[in-house]
Amino acid sequence: MLHQIQLICLPIPLDTTSCPAAQVATEDSPGARVTRDDDGDGRDVELDNEHPYHQSPGIDLGNQRVASLALDDEIDEFFNPIADSVLRLPPGFDLGPVPEEPLMVGSVNVASRFHTYKHKALQAACSGNGLPVETQTHEIAVLSQVLTLKRRQYSNMVTDIIGKEVLDSLHSKYCADALKYDIKLPSATLLEISTIIDQLAQPDLKKHPPRLAIMSQLLVIACKESYSVSHVILGLSLLLSRIPNMSIANVNCISESELWSCFYDPILSAVLADPDQDVLLR
């Protein structure tokens, strides 16, 4: 089963009625002052004598004037950075018993250790400190029955409980089951694909067939091939929808996000991801 975690960020409310940095005062109220044009530029300037560092032009609103009444500490408090997001859970959650069916890696029962890991993560989430989202995403994921396997990026908690060698063995096992490195395209299929893509290599752009037509031809070929080969052809088809007509003058100027979104994502999403089998590439 595919488990997903959704993080919701709440923005700062920008309600000027409750913001101490924006207050409207009439001329009769304390803090509001009638000003005049002292420098002859045609604008009235209001100076806050009590706080000389807060000086702002007065804005006429009929008989009202917006006064600069904000204090240093009020401004600092309003613009303070948002505190780091932390997951805190109330006590009372039940993660169930230890699984009866073991998952063995050598002599280690990973299912039992995974259950212990879940309870440790739950205890941390129910404590006063909670689980910081930025630094303990592995522990947040394990509360949804998800064990994150990523070499050299394991958390201290999961390494202490399950063990780095066991995690690396699981990573290698599942990668070997999910990925096939010996995919070979049949010679006739490879020649047909090359002939179709070569139509876009003409120097005269006006003679190019529409990219959608080229992509459609590739998809027709993909439907006739095996599972692995068809996904490689699908990746080539998606790549054609992203790459530019002209060659890139300076490849060193490509940003990481552009490199990923334009070149890596189309191929890898088609080859590695399969929503029908609950496999997503994030």
Side-chain angles (χ1 to χ4, degrees):
M1 181 179 295
L2 177 66
H3 298 277
Q4 300 182 8
I5 300 175
Q6 182 177 8
L7 305 179
I8 301 176
C9 298
L10 301 178
I12 299 177
L14 297 180
D15 183 4
T16 57
T17 59
S18 61
C19 175
Q23 300 181 9
V24 177
T26 63
E27 293 182 1
D28 297 333
S29 62
R33 295 171 295 279
V34 179
T35 60
R36 64 180 183 271
D37 182 12
D38 291 332
D39 52 5
D41 61 356
R43 294 184 302 174
D44 288 346
V45 177
E46 179 180 357
L47 302 179
D48 188 341
N49 294 328
E50 295 181 2
H51 305 283
Y53 294 103
H54 296 112
Q55 303 178 2
S56 62
I59 303 175
D60 267 325
L61 298 175
N63 293 328
Q64 293 182 335
R65 179 178 299 276
V66 176
S68 177
L69 303 177
L71 303 179
D72 284 338
D73 54 349
E74 292 172 340
I75 293 178
D76 292 341
E77 181 180 355
F78 183 74
F79 287 104
N80 266 344
I82 303 175
D84 293 336
S85 299
V86 177
L87 174 67
R88 293 186 177 90
L89 297 177
F93 283 88
D94 184 12
L95 297 177
V98 179
E100 296 181 359
E101 183 177 355
L103 174 61
M104 304 302 297
V105 175
S107 59
V108 177
N109 185 355
V110 179
S112 176
R113 294 193 180 186
F114 180 69
H115 185 75
T116 303
Y117 179 35
K118 289 190 298 182
H119 276 276
K120 291 289 186 180
L122 181 60
Q123 290 177 5
C126 295
S127 65
N129 296 329
L131 293 174
V133 174
E134 292 293 333
T135 58
Q136 291 191 280
T137 53
H138 290 213
E139 282 65 49
I140 295 176
V142 79
L143 296 177
S144 298
Q145 311 291 332
V146 175
L147 177 61
T148 304
L149 297 175
K150 194 169 185 180
R151 288 183 183 273
R152 296 182 294 275
Q153 294 191 24
Y154 302 124
S155 66
N156 293 332
M157 184 182 295
V158 70
T159 303
D160 294 340
I161 297 175
I162 298 181
K164 181 180 180 301
E165 293 182 358
V166 176
L167 293 170
D168 288 341
S169 299
L170 286 173
H171 181 275
S172 301
K173 175 182 181 301
Y174 287 114
C175 282
D177 294 341
L179 301 178
K180 296 181 179 179
Y181 299 99
D182 57 347
I183 299 177
K184 295 182 179 180
L185 274 70
S187 300
T189 303
L190 182 59
L191 178 61
E192 188 175 4
I193 293 174
S194 300
T195 303
I196 294 174
I197 295 180
D198 283 345
Q199 300 177 53
L200 297 176
Q202 298 181 15
D204 189 355
L205 297 179
K206 296 181 179 179
K207 296 183 180 180
H208 282 188
R211 292 200 182 200
L212 183 59
I214 300 296
M215 295 169 62
S216 300
Q217 296 178 46
L218 293 176
L219 292 177
V220 171
I221 298 174
C223 294
K224 302 176 183 178
E225 299 297 331
S226 63
Y227 177 87
S228 301
V229 173
S230 64
H231 278 67
V232 172
I233 300 175
L234 173 61
L236 292 175
S237 175
L238 295 175
L239 182 62
L240 290 179
S241 66
R242 307 282 185 90
I243 58 177
N245 287 321
M246 306 301 293
S247 59
I248 300 174
N250 187 358
V251 295
N252 296 325
C253 296
I254 301 178
S255 64
E256 182 179 354
S257 59
E258 181 183 2
L259 185 64
W260 172 259
S261 61
C262 291
F263 301 99
Y264 290 162
D265 178 67
I267 291 287
L268 295 180
S269 294
V271 174
L272 301 180
D274 188 353
D276 292 336
Q277 298 187 14
D278 291 338
V279 178
L280 301 179
L281 178 64
R282 295 290 179 85

